[in-house]
Amino acid sequence: MARLPYLEKSDLKPEDQDLLKREITLHKALVNSPGAARAFGALGQYIRHGAKLDPRLRELAILQIGWLARSPYEWSHHVKIGYDFGVTDADIEAVKQESRGEVSALEPLARLVLKAAREVYAGPGIGYETFAALRAALDNESIVDLTVTAGFYCAVVRVLASLEVDVEESYMPYLRKHPFPV
């Protein structure tokens, strides 16, 4: 149960109603502070629509953060979104394998992206060896986009957990298909 009310467009000033273009529970909780919701959304929109990093790699990094945080909301949403950007069920299983320290069948760059996301999540940031490998594989813009994506989604999972944002029923099939370990 969410710790704050889920607001509807009718609860908001007319100039803030655009913040609920996507009426998902995360947005409905965040609009309790329209300014924060707008800033949060702006970075999320850049990551999703403006970043140069390959979208499949982006989604794998986000899934890695969601898996590590055991964030049902983030995990379920980005399993669904990941499918739209070429993430497969085998890729999702590989995220789990890599998280356990096992070597998956993912291509080397995807494995490197997952490693970088795990290092950002664990803190304080991407290690020297991993960063050097990223420099050999990606351009500077993509490295920044990956780093910002991983850092932002570390914040997202903490916001979700702190506000106890509920997973919408429409996303539950993704959580059931790819559950967290018991």
Side-chain angles (χ1 to χ4, degrees):
M1 185 75 173
R3 290 178 163 175
L4 295 176
Y6 293 129
L7 301 181
E8 302 295 333
K9 284 183 181 180
S10 60
D11 297 317
L12 301 174
K13 295 178 185 173
E15 63 269 21
D16 292 327
Q17 290 179 358
D18 66 307
L19 293 168
L20 289 178
K21 284 182 286 199
R22 287 185 62 217
E23 295 188 36
I24 57 176
T25 53
L26 173 59
H27 294 171
K28 289 179 173 190
L30 286 175
V31 295
N32 280 280
S33 173
R38 195 169 300 287
F40 187 95
L43 185 51
Q45 288 299 306
Y46 169 75
I47 289 168
R48 180 103 177 253
H49 301 291
K52 184 177 179 188
L53 181 66
D54 174 81
R56 177 177 163 268
L57 294 176
R58 175 196 71 223
E59 291 303 316
L60 288 173
I62 296 167
L63 283 167
Q64 180 66 88
I65 301 296
W67 180 259
L68 293 173
R70 296 298 191 261
S71 174
Y73 190 97
E74 199 59 42
W75 180 252
S76 63
H77 276 246
H78 283 275
V79 166
K80 180 184 186 305
I81 292 167
Y83 287 151
D84 295 339
F85 291 100
V87 173
T88 65
D89 287 330
D91 292 339
I92 293 166
E93 291 305 315
V95 169
K96 297 173 191 179
Q97 285 179 281
E98 295 283 334
S99 297
R100 293 188 301 262
E102 300 168 8
V103 177
S104 72
L106 284 173
E107 72 277 14
L109 181 55
R111 292 185 62 232
L112 182 60
V113 164
L114 292 178
K115 182 178 182 188
R118 287 191 303 275
E119 290 176 3
V120 169
Y121 182 81
I126 299 171
Y128 289 106
E129 182 182 307
T130 305
F131 199 87
L134 287 169
R135 296 277 319 252
L138 297 172
D139 63 19
N140 292 346
E141 187 174 358
S142 293
I143 292 170
V144 170
D145 286 346
L146 171 60
T147 305
V148 168
T149 298
F152 178 70
Y153 279 91
C154 284
V156 172
V157 296
R158 284 160 177 81
V159 167
L160 288 163
S162 295
L163 300 180
E164 295 184 3
V165 175
D166 300 296
V167 177
E168 301 88 349
E169 188 56 42
S170 62
Y171 286 89
M172 291 305 291
Y174 302 99
L175 196 55
R176 287 189 284 273
K177 184 174 184 180
H178 294 285
F180 292 120
V182 181

